[in-house]
Amino acid sequence: MTESVPNPAPRPAPLLALVVPCYNEQETLPRTMDELSRLLADCKARGLIQPESYALYVDDGSRDGTWELIERRHAEDPCCRGVKFAGNAGHQNAVWAGMATAREWGADSVISLDADLQDDISVIPEMLARYAEGCDIVYGVRASRSTDTPFKRETAHFFYALMRRLNVSIIPDHADYRLVARPVLKVLEGYGEQSLFLRGLFPTLGFRTATVSYARKAREAGESKYPLRKMLAFAWRGITSCSAAPLRVAGLMSLVCMGFAFLLCGVTLWKYAMGETVQGWTSLIIVTLLLGSVQLFCLAIMGEYIAKIFTEVRHRPRYIVEKTL
């Protein structure tokens, strides 16, 4: 007779903090605050979270009235809290600051989500259910990319495929919509790197994880904070933060060009030995330009990594908090 292993006891309802990074979100923030307030009230009424749970808005150096909106809502609603950066530090730093502040304020779990509410908040109870089952990280994963333009959809698929080829642990179609439990927040204290790429960091931590799928909505107000230029910069940041493969690619290209140069030298010497001479400078100029461009490309990649080393060794703070509510 085999003895059955009892299921672990479910976790108690957590003190939840909703972390919302904000940058120039004056147009969309009032609606976001209303919907998150209703969500918190509903989850508290159902016993899914503790009554002290709250929403934490991180103002990433906005130049509009974002912080004034947070201050007014805080005066009316004690479940609305805020952190204001002295200047713009970037989305990843805003998410990190929200998680670190929530941990200091006693949160048992944190859910990060964008201020435009394109990530469907109706799946948050399902995230909490996975947390109650013992999962420490719950990823929100898009069920499809039907709302994206064809160009954005194909470039996103290419990016995830490239990251997999580079052996980078990343969850496809997952952005920064995730639940993180307190044990993970405590571990993150030891990560002092300046160049944050959270999508590539969390899958490497080794905690018990789960995924929740959802349909991404269209943005109802304001404008996207990630145009093509920023998307490309963010993708490059992710690649260079999580993998040294570009350095190896640069070395491989150098070897290929070196082999081509040796082959061309052999052909030239063979023709010279046979009494033939190479007419003109065309071949010489082509080889010179080819080798020069490869060398410059390799130097640019090495420069990117050296710049990251320079940023890390300075040990400057990732962000400066001006005010808290």
Side-chain angles (χ1 to χ4, degrees), residues 268-310:
T268 304
L269 291 174
W270 180 77
K271 287 186 175 183
Y272 179 78
M274 297 297 293
E276 300 180 24
T277 58
V278 178
Q279 300 293 327
W281 292 87
T282 303
S283 58
L284 178 61
I285 294 299
I286 291 175
V287 172
T288 302
L289 292 176
L290 177 63
L291 294 178
S293 60
V294 169
Q295 289 171 354
L296 290 174
F297 176 75
C298 296
L299 286 174
I301 292 180
M302 288 188 289
E304 178 71 22
Y305 281 90
I306 292 171
K308 286 184 177 294
I309 295 172
F310 176 65

mmCIF file of all heavy atoms in Angstrom, residues 268-310:
data_model
loop_
_atom_site.group_PDB
_atom_site.id
_atom_site.type_symbol
_atom_site.label_atom_id
_atom_site.label_comp_id
_atom_site.label_asym_id
_atom_site.label_seq_id
_atom_site.Cartn_x
_atom_site.Cartn_y
_atom_site.Cartn_z
ATOM 1 N N THR A 268 46.816 35.228 -54.741
ATOM 2 C CA THR A 268 47.703 36.240 -55.320
ATOM 3 C C THR A 268 49.119 35.705 -55.498
ATOM 4 O O THR A 268 49.760 35.908 -56.556
ATOM 5 C CB THR A 268 47.712 37.488 -54.424
ATOM 6 O OG1 THR A 268 46.380 37.961 -54.256
ATOM 7 C CG2 THR A 268 48.556 38.588 -55.045
ATOM 8 N N LEU A 269 49.671 35.002 -54.485
ATOM 9 C CA LEU A 269 51.026 34.436 -54.590
ATOM 10 C C LEU A 269 51.103 33.356 -55.661
ATOM 11 O O LEU A 269 52.106 33.234 -56.377
ATOM 12 C CB LEU A 269 51.442 33.865 -53.224
ATOM 13 C CG LEU A 269 51.699 34.896 -52.112
ATOM 14 C CD1 LEU A 269 51.963 34.188 -50.793
ATOM 15 C CD2 LEU A 269 52.865 35.805 -52.486
ATOM 16 N N TRP A 270 50.028 32.573 -55.790
ATOM 17 C CA TRP A 270 50.022 31.520 -56.817
ATOM 18 C C TRP A 270 50.057 32.140 -58.208
ATOM 19 O O TRP A 270 50.798 31.699 -59.088
ATOM 20 C CB TRP A 270 48.786 30.642 -56.653
ATOM 21 C CG TRP A 270 48.703 29.547 -57.668
ATOM 22 C CD1 TRP A 270 49.406 28.377 -57.688
ATOM 23 C CD2 TRP A 270 47.882 29.535 -58.840
ATOM 24 N NE1 TRP A 270 49.066 27.627 -58.784
ATOM 25 C CE2 TRP A 270 48.127 28.322 -59.514
ATOM 26 C CE3 TRP A 270 46.957 30.441 -59.364
ATOM 27 C CZ2 TRP A 270 47.487 27.989 -60.698
ATOM 28 C CZ3 TRP A 270 46.312 30.108 -60.546
ATOM 29 C CH2 TRP A 270 46.576 28.886 -61.199
ATOM 30 N N LYS A 271 49.267 33.204 -58.414
ATOM 31 C CA LYS A 271 49.277 33.886 -59.703
ATOM 32 C C LYS A 271 50.633 34.534 -59.969
ATOM 33 O O LYS A 271 51.127 34.553 -61.113
ATOM 34 C CB LYS A 271 48.170 34.949 -59.751
ATOM 35 C CG LYS A 271 46.772 34.364 -59.880
ATOM 36 C CD LYS A 271 45.742 35.453 -60.080
ATOM 37 C CE LYS A 271 44.366 34.849 -60.328
ATOM 38 N NZ LYS A 271 43.356 35.887 -60.590
ATOM 39 N N TYR A 272 51.261 35.059 -58.927
ATOM 40 C CA TYR A 272 52.584 35.668 -59.095
ATOM 41 C C TYR A 272 53.606 34.605 -59.506
ATOM 42 O O TYR A 272 54.462 34.841 -60.375
ATOM 43 C CB TYR A 272 52.998 36.340 -57.791
ATOM 44 C CG TYR A 272 54.378 36.981 -57.841
ATOM 45 C CD1 TYR A 272 54.563 38.210 -58.460
ATOM 46 C CD2 TYR A 272 55.482 36.334 -57.288
ATOM 47 C CE1 TYR A 272 55.822 38.787 -58.523
ATOM 48 C CE2 TYR A 272 56.737 36.900 -57.345
ATOM 49 C CZ TYR A 272 56.912 38.142 -57.963
ATOM 50 O OH TYR A 272 58.155 38.696 -58.027
ATOM 51 N N ALA A 273 53.485 33.419 -58.867
ATOM 52 C CA ALA A 273 54.420 32.341 -59.208
ATOM 53 C C ALA A 273 54.207 31.850 -60.632
ATOM 54 O O ALA A 273 55.154 31.393 -61.295
ATOM 55 C CB ALA A 273 54.256 31.186 -58.226
ATOM 56 N N MET A 274 52.991 31.955 -61.144
ATOM 57 C CA MET A 274 52.692 31.533 -62.502
ATOM 58 C C MET A 274 52.994 32.627 -63.525
ATOM 59 O O MET A 274 52.725 32.471 -64.712
ATOM 60 C CB MET A 274 51.216 31.129 -62.612
ATOM 61 C CG MET A 274 50.829 29.937 -61.738
ATOM 62 S SD MET A 274 51.707 28.426 -62.196
ATOM 63 C CE MET A 274 50.994 28.121 -63.802
ATOM 64 N N GLY A 275 53.518 33.732 -63.049
ATOM 65 C CA GLY A 275 53.886 34.821 -63.957
ATOM 66 C C GLY A 275 52.780 35.803 -64.214
ATOM 67 O O GLY A 275 52.907 36.662 -65.100
ATOM 68 N N GLU A 276 51.702 35.714 -63.474
ATOM 69 C CA GLU A 276 50.599 36.662 -63.666
ATOM 70 C C GLU A 276 50.664 37.744 -62.596
ATOM 71 O O GLU A 276 51.112 37.509 -61.478
ATOM 72 C CB GLU A 276 49.245 35.945 -63.570
ATOM 73 C CG GLU A 276 49.061 34.856 -64.612
ATOM 74 C CD GLU A 276 47.708 34.187 -64.468
ATOM 75 O OE1 GLU A 276 46.786 34.836 -63.915
ATOM 76 O OE2 GLU A 276 47.567 33.029 -64.893
ATOM 77 N N THR A 277 50.223 38.896 -62.920
ATOM 78 C CA THR A 277 50.134 39.993 -61.946
ATOM 79 C C THR A 277 48.690 40.477 -61.874
ATOM 80 O O THR A 277 47.975 40.480 -62.882
ATOM 81 C CB THR A 277 51.041 41.162 -62.344
ATOM 82 O OG1 THR A 277 50.670 41.619 -63.636
ATOM 83 C CG2 THR A 277 52.505 40.750 -62.345
ATOM 84 N N VAL A 278 48.307 40.865 -60.688
ATOM 85 C CA VAL A 278 46.940 41.350 -60.477
ATOM 86 C C VAL A 278 46.869 42.797 -60.941
ATOM 87 O O VAL A 278 47.627 43.648 -60.458
ATOM 88 C CB VAL A 278 46.534 41.225 -58.989
ATOM 89 C CG1 VAL A 278 45.125 41.770 -58.789
ATOM 90 C CG2 VAL A 278 46.636 39.788 -58.541
ATOM 91 N N GLN A 279 45.974 43.094 -61.862
ATOM 92 C CA GLN A 279 45.840 44.438 -62.385
ATOM 93 C C GLN A 279 44.988 45.312 -61.468
ATOM 94 O O GLN A 279 43.975 44.873 -60.934
ATOM 95 C CB GLN A 279 45.192 44.378 -63.783
ATOM 96 C CG GLN A 279 45.987 43.584 -64.799
ATOM 97 C CD GLN A 279 47.301 44.242 -65.149
ATOM 98 O OE1 GLN A 279 47.391 45.477 -65.157
ATOM 99 N NE2 GLN A 279 48.319 43.440 -65.420
ATOM 100 N N GLY A 280 45.402 46.545 -61.264
ATOM 101 C CA GLY A 280 44.588 47.528 -60.560
ATOM 102 C C GLY A 280 44.583 47.382 -59.050
ATOM 103 O O GLY A 280 45.224 46.515 -58.464
ATOM 104 N N TRP A 281 43.789 48.299 -58.420
ATOM 105 C CA TRP A 281 43.719 48.358 -56.959
ATOM 106 C C TRP A 281 42.345 47.942 -56.419
ATOM 107 O O TRP A 281 42.100 48.033 -55.224
ATOM 108 C CB TRP A 281 43.992 49.800 -56.502
ATOM 109 C CG TRP A 281 45.407 50.223 -56.755
ATOM 110 C CD1 TRP A 281 45.914 50.765 -57.896
ATOM 111 C CD2 TRP A 281 46.488 50.114 -55.836
ATOM 112 N NE1 TRP A 281 47.255 51.017 -57.764
ATOM 113 C CE2 TRP A 281 47.640 50.628 -56.484
ATOM 114 C CE3 TRP A 281 46.618 49.645 -54.530
ATOM 115 C CZ2 TRP A 281 48.886 50.682 -55.889
ATOM 116 C CZ3 TRP A 281 47.855 49.706 -53.933
ATOM 117 C CH2 TRP A 281 48.988 50.202 -54.607
ATOM 118 N N THR A 282 41.475 47.501 -57.296
ATOM 119 C CA THR A 282 40.098 47.209 -56.863
ATOM 120 C C THR A 282 40.060 46.152 -55.765
ATOM 121 O O THR A 282 39.415 46.335 -54.725
ATOM 122 C CB THR A 282 39.267 46.730 -58.062
ATOM 123 O OG1 THR A 282 39.311 47.720 -59.082
ATOM 124 C CG2 THR A 282 37.823 46.485 -57.648
ATOM 125 N N SER A 283 40.769 45.032 -56.014
ATOM 126 C CA SER A 283 40.751 43.968 -55.009
ATOM 127 C C SER A 283 41.365 44.421 -53.695
ATOM 128 O O SER A 283 40.884 44.069 -52.612
ATOM 129 C CB SER A 283 41.487 42.742 -55.547
ATOM 130 O OG SER A 283 42.827 43.081 -55.881
ATOM 131 N N LEU A 284 42.409 45.227 -53.781
ATOM 132 C CA LEU A 284 43.053 45.711 -52.564
ATOM 133 C C LEU A 284 42.125 46.616 -51.763
ATOM 134 O O LEU A 284 42.021 46.503 -50.538
ATOM 135 C CB LEU A 284 44.345 46.457 -52.931
ATOM 136 C CG LEU A 284 45.132 47.067 -51.762
ATOM 137 C CD1 LEU A 284 45.580 45.985 -50.798
ATOM 138 C CD2 LEU A 284 46.321 47.853 -52.294
ATOM 139 N N ILE A 285 41.454 47.512 -52.472
ATOM 140 C CA ILE A 285 40.539 48.420 -51.783
ATOM 141 C C ILE A 285 39.388 47.655 -51.141
ATOM 142 O O ILE A 285 38.973 47.939 -50.012
ATOM 143 C CB ILE A 285 40.004 49.479 -52.766
ATOM 144 C CG1 ILE A 285 41.139 50.388 -53.234
ATOM 145 C CG2 ILE A 285 38.888 50.291 -52.133
ATOM 146 C CD1 ILE A 285 41.801 51.157 -52.109
ATOM 147 N N ILE A 286 38.843 46.653 -51.833
ATOM 148 C CA ILE A 286 37.735 45.864 -51.283
ATOM 149 C C ILE A 286 38.158 45.166 -49.996
ATOM 150 O O ILE A 286 37.450 45.193 -48.984
ATOM 151 C CB ILE A 286 37.237 44.845 -52.320
ATOM 152 C CG1 ILE A 286 36.536 45.584 -53.472
ATOM 153 C CG2 ILE A 286 36.283 43.836 -51.682
ATOM 154 C CD1 ILE A 286 36.127 44.672 -54.606
ATOM 155 N N VAL A 287 39.336 44.541 -50.040
ATOM 156 C CA VAL A 287 39.815 43.842 -48.846
ATOM 157 C C VAL A 287 40.061 44.819 -47.714
ATOM 158 O O VAL A 287 39.720 44.560 -46.550
ATOM 159 C CB VAL A 287 41.093 43.049 -49.181
ATOM 160 C CG1 VAL A 287 41.717 42.476 -47.912
ATOM 161 C CG2 VAL A 287 40.787 41.929 -50.160
ATOM 162 N N THR A 288 40.643 45.968 -48.025
ATOM 163 C CA THR A 288 40.922 46.964 -46.992
ATOM 164 C C THR A 288 39.628 47.451 -46.332
ATOM 165 O O THR A 288 39.533 47.551 -45.102
ATOM 166 C CB THR A 288 41.686 48.150 -47.597
ATOM 167 O OG1 THR A 288 42.908 47.683 -48.187
ATOM 168 C CG2 THR A 288 42.001 49.190 -46.537
ATOM 169 N N LEU A 289 38.635 47.760 -47.142
ATOM 170 C CA LEU A 289 37.353 48.217 -46.591
ATOM 171 C C LEU A 289 36.675 47.126 -45.773
ATOM 172 O O LEU A 289 36.092 47.394 -44.723
ATOM 173 C CB LEU A 289 36.434 48.671 -47.725
ATOM 174 C CG LEU A 289 36.854 49.948 -48.467
ATOM 175 C CD1 LEU A 289 35.905 50.220 -49.620
ATOM 176 C CD2 LEU A 289 36.864 51.134 -47.510
ATOM 177 N N LEU A 290 36.751 45.881 -46.262
ATOM 178 C CA LEU A 290 36.112 44.777 -45.548
ATOM 179 C C LEU A 290 36.749 44.579 -44.176
ATOM 180 O O LEU A 290 36.060 44.525 -43.153
ATOM 181 C CB LEU A 290 36.216 43.496 -46.372
ATOM 182 C CG LEU A 290 35.659 42.223 -45.716
ATOM 183 C CD1 LEU A 290 34.166 42.364 -45.466
ATOM 184 C CD2 LEU A 290 35.944 40.999 -46.580
ATOM 185 N N LEU A 291 38.066 44.489 -44.152
ATOM 186 C CA LEU A 291 38.749 44.276 -42.874
ATOM 187 C C LEU A 291 38.564 45.467 -41.940
ATOM 188 O O LEU A 291 38.371 45.303 -40.730
ATOM 189 C CB LEU A 291 40.234 44.018 -43.115
ATOM 190 C CG LEU A 291 40.595 42.723 -43.844
ATOM 191 C CD1 LEU A 291 42.091 42.632 -44.065
ATOM 192 C CD2 LEU A 291 40.106 41.520 -43.052
ATOM 193 N N GLY A 292 38.612 46.669 -42.496
ATOM 194 C CA GLY A 292 38.435 47.851 -41.653
ATOM 195 C C GLY A 292 37.058 47.919 -41.026
ATOM 196 O O GLY A 292 36.908 48.241 -39.848
ATOM 197 N N SER A 293 36.004 47.593 -41.813
ATOM 198 C CA SER A 293 34.647 47.640 -41.271
ATOM 199 C C SER A 293 34.437 46.578 -40.201
ATOM 200 O O SER A 293 33.772 46.828 -39.183
ATOM 201 C CB SER A 293 33.631 47.458 -42.397
ATOM 202 O OG SER A 293 33.815 46.207 -43.040
ATOM 203 N N VAL A 294 35.001 45.381 -40.407
ATOM 204 C CA VAL A 294 34.865 44.328 -39.397
ATOM 205 C C VAL A 294 35.579 44.736 -38.114
ATOM 206 O O VAL A 294 35.074 44.535 -37.006
ATOM 207 C CB VAL A 294 35.412 42.992 -39.931
ATOM 208 C CG1 VAL A 294 35.520 41.964 -38.815
ATOM 209 C CG2 VAL A 294 34.517 42.471 -41.038
ATOM 210 N N GLN A 295 36.756 45.316 -38.240
ATOM 211 C CA GLN A 295 37.493 45.756 -37.055
ATOM 212 C C GLN A 295 36.717 46.815 -36.281
ATOM 213 O O GLN A 295 36.636 46.775 -35.050
ATOM 214 C CB GLN A 295 38.863 46.279 -37.469
ATOM 215 C CG GLN A 295 39.828 45.202 -37.939
ATOM 216 C CD GLN A 295 41.089 45.782 -38.547
ATOM 217 O OE1 GLN A 295 41.193 46.988 -38.718
ATOM 218 N NE2 GLN A 295 42.034 44.915 -38.872
ATOM 219 N N LEU A 296 36.136 47.775 -37.005
ATOM 220 C CA LEU A 296 35.357 48.815 -36.335
ATOM 221 C C LEU A 296 34.122 48.234 -35.663
ATOM 222 O O LEU A 296 33.745 48.654 -34.565
ATOM 223 C CB LEU A 296 34.956 49.890 -37.345
ATOM 224 C CG LEU A 296 36.097 50.770 -37.880
ATOM 225 C CD1 LEU A 296 35.578 51.696 -38.970
ATOM 226 C CD2 LEU A 296 36.721 51.579 -36.749
ATOM 227 N N PHE A 297 33.481 47.267 -36.323
ATOM 228 C CA PHE A 297 32.304 46.628 -35.716
ATOM 229 C C PHE A 297 32.683 45.904 -34.431
ATOM 230 O O PHE A 297 31.987 46.009 -33.415
ATOM 231 C CB PHE A 297 31.682 45.657 -36.722
ATOM 232 C CG PHE A 297 30.515 44.883 -36.170
ATOM 233 C CD1 PHE A 297 29.285 45.485 -36.000
ATOM 234 C CD2 PHE A 297 30.652 43.551 -35.821
ATOM 235 C CE1 PHE A 297 28.211 44.780 -35.495
ATOM 236 C CE2 PHE A 297 29.588 42.828 -35.312
ATOM 237 C CZ PHE A 297 28.359 43.455 -35.146
ATOM 238 N N CYS A 298 33.800 45.174 -34.465
ATOM 239 C CA CYS A 298 34.248 44.455 -33.268
ATOM 240 C C CYS A 298 34.605 45.432 -32.149
ATOM 241 O O CYS A 298 34.304 45.193 -30.974
ATOM 242 C CB CYS A 298 35.434 43.566 -33.597
ATOM 243 S SG CYS A 298 35.061 42.240 -34.765
ATOM 244 N N LEU A 299 35.241 46.535 -32.510
ATOM 245 C CA LEU A 299 35.578 47.544 -31.505
ATOM 246 C C LEU A 299 34.315 48.153 -30.894
ATOM 247 O O LEU A 299 34.277 48.449 -29.693
ATOM 248 C CB LEU A 299 36.435 48.636 -32.132
ATOM 249 C CG LEU A 299 37.898 48.276 -32.424
ATOM 250 C CD1 LEU A 299 38.577 49.401 -33.185
ATOM 251 C CD2 LEU A 299 38.646 47.992 -31.120
ATOM 252 N N ALA A 300 33.279 48.352 -31.713
ATOM 253 C CA ALA A 300 32.030 48.916 -31.199
ATOM 254 C C ALA A 300 31.380 47.975 -30.183
ATOM 255 O O ALA A 300 30.880 48.415 -29.141
ATOM 256 C CB ALA A 300 31.071 49.195 -32.352
ATOM 257 N N ILE A 301 31.388 46.677 -30.471
ATOM 258 C CA ILE A 301 30.807 45.717 -29.531
ATOM 259 C C ILE A 301 31.615 45.681 -28.241
ATOM 260 O O ILE A 301 31.057 45.707 -27.134
ATOM 261 C CB ILE A 301 30.738 44.320 -30.173
ATOM 262 C CG1 ILE A 301 29.711 44.314 -31.307
ATOM 263 C CG2 ILE A 301 30.377 43.261 -29.134
ATOM 264 C CD1 ILE A 301 29.574 42.989 -31.999
ATOM 265 N N MET A 302 32.948 45.634 -28.366
ATOM 266 C CA MET A 302 33.769 45.654 -27.152
ATOM 267 C C MET A 302 33.570 46.945 -26.370
ATOM 268 O O MET A 302 33.551 46.950 -25.143
ATOM 269 C CB MET A 302 35.235 45.467 -27.533
ATOM 270 C CG MET A 302 35.579 44.061 -27.996
ATOM 271 S SD MET A 302 37.343 43.789 -28.226
ATOM 272 C CE MET A 302 37.634 44.772 -29.699
ATOM 273 N N GLY A 303 33.401 48.053 -27.095
ATOM 274 C CA GLY A 303 33.154 49.324 -26.421
ATOM 275 C C GLY A 303 31.858 49.312 -25.631
ATOM 276 O O GLY A 303 31.771 49.908 -24.546
ATOM 277 N N GLU A 304 30.840 48.633 -26.165
ATOM 278 C CA GLU A 304 29.563 48.536 -25.438
ATOM 279 C C GLU A 304 29.750 47.822 -24.109
ATOM 280 O O GLU A 304 29.242 48.264 -23.064
ATOM 281 C CB GLU A 304 28.551 47.800 -26.314
ATOM 282 C CG GLU A 304 27.188 47.592 -25.672
ATOM 283 C CD GLU A 304 26.401 48.871 -25.544
ATOM 284 O OE1 GLU A 304 26.691 49.832 -26.290
ATOM 285 O OE2 GLU A 304 25.493 48.916 -24.693
ATOM 286 N N TYR A 305 30.493 46.727 -24.117
ATOM 287 C CA TYR A 305 30.715 45.986 -22.877
ATOM 288 C C TYR A 305 31.642 46.756 -21.932
ATOM 289 O O TYR A 305 31.454 46.728 -20.704
ATOM 290 C CB TYR A 305 31.286 44.604 -23.182
ATOM 291 C CG TYR A 305 30.239 43.624 -23.642
ATOM 292 C CD1 TYR A 305 29.937 43.480 -24.987
ATOM 293 C CD2 TYR A 305 29.525 42.857 -22.730
ATOM 294 C CE1 TYR A 305 28.965 42.595 -25.416
ATOM 295 C CE2 TYR A 305 28.557 41.962 -23.151
ATOM 296 C CZ TYR A 305 28.276 41.843 -24.496
ATOM 297 O OH TYR A 305 27.304 40.968 -24.920
ATOM 298 N N ILE A 306 32.626 47.439 -22.469
ATOM 299 C CA ILE A 306 33.500 48.256 -21.620
ATOM 300 C C ILE A 306 32.708 49.381 -20.971
ATOM 301 O O ILE A 306 32.918 49.724 -19.800
ATOM 302 C CB ILE A 306 34.677 48.799 -22.443
ATOM 303 C CG1 ILE A 306 35.607 47.659 -22.854
ATOM 304 C CG2 ILE A 306 35.469 49.837 -21.647
ATOM 305 C CD1 ILE A 306 36.677 48.070 -23.837
ATOM 306 N N ALA A 307 31.766 49.972 -21.723
ATOM 307 C CA ALA A 307 30.920 51.015 -21.152
ATOM 308 C C ALA A 307 30.079 50.470 -20.006
ATOM 309 O O ALA A 307 29.865 51.150 -18.990
ATOM 310 C CB ALA A 307 30.019 51.610 -22.239
ATOM 311 N N LYS A 308 29.586 49.220 -20.149
ATOM 312 C CA LYS A 308 28.824 48.621 -19.058
ATOM 313 C C LYS A 308 29.708 48.397 -17.837
ATOM 314 O O LYS A 308 29.279 48.607 -16.696
ATOM 315 C CB LYS A 308 28.210 47.288 -19.518
ATOM 316 C CG LYS A 308 27.029 47.451 -20.456
ATOM 317 C CD LYS A 308 26.412 46.121 -20.802
ATOM 318 C CE LYS A 308 25.187 46.318 -21.676
ATOM 319 N NZ LYS A 308 24.091 46.997 -20.960
ATOM 320 N N ILE A 309 30.953 47.962 -18.056
ATOM 321 C CA ILE A 309 31.885 47.798 -16.938
ATOM 322 C C ILE A 309 32.122 49.137 -16.250
ATOM 323 O O ILE A 309 32.130 49.237 -15.017
ATOM 324 C CB ILE A 309 33.208 47.189 -17.437
ATOM 325 C CG1 ILE A 309 32.982 45.774 -17.962
ATOM 326 C CG2 ILE A 309 34.254 47.171 -16.324
ATOM 327 C CD1 ILE A 309 34.182 45.180 -18.654
ATOM 328 N N PHE A 310 32.309 50.193 -17.035
ATOM 329 C CA PHE A 310 32.530 51.533 -16.485
ATOM 330 C C PHE A 310 31.337 51.971 -15.638
ATOM 331 O O PHE A 310 31.504 52.544 -14.552
ATOM 332 C CB PHE A 310 32.759 52.510 -17.639
ATOM 333 C CG PHE A 310 32.903 53.938 -17.216
ATOM 334 C CD1 PHE A 310 33.977 54.345 -16.439
ATOM 335 C CD2 PHE A 310 31.966 54.884 -17.593
ATOM 336 C CE1 PHE A 310 34.115 55.670 -16.050
ATOM 337 C CE2 PHE A 310 32.084 56.204 -17.208
ATOM 338 C CZ PHE A 310 33.170 56.604 -16.430
#
